Amino acid sequence: MTVALMWEARAVPGRGADLLAWARAQALPAEPLRRETLRAPQDRVLVITWWDAEYDSDLPELPEPDGDLVTRAVHRWRFETVDG
């Protein structure tokens, strides 16, 4: 089974580049199958990691950034792949 973890944060206005750099610099203790980092308007950053694991497995996730970098707590979601 493939599990995707989504991590989304919104930077303090004008600090989107800082949040993006911070997210890209975060190392995980294990290597996912795939990791993708995206950005969106309003200084939002999204990181998706894919893992070969069961849905409820204990998987490494990006931490919370410092409070002076984000406007709210990080949003996190977990999804599993659904075949045809």
Side-chain angles (χ1 to χ4, degrees), residues 31-74:
E31 195 67 29
L33 296 172
R34 181 175 163 198
R35 177 174 172 165
E36 192 167 345
T37 304
L38 303 100
R39 64 180 171 185
Q42 299 177 333
D43 293 321
R44 289 179 289 146
V45 174
L46 173 67
V47 179
I48 307 171
T49 56
W50 287 264
W51 303 88
D52 181 18
E54 294 300 316
Y55 184 82
D56 57 355
S57 295
D58 185 24
L59 298 169
E61 297 190 51
L62 271 66
E64 293 277 335
D66 290 336
D68 64 341
L69 187 57
V70 293
T71 60
R72 57 168 167 72
V74 169

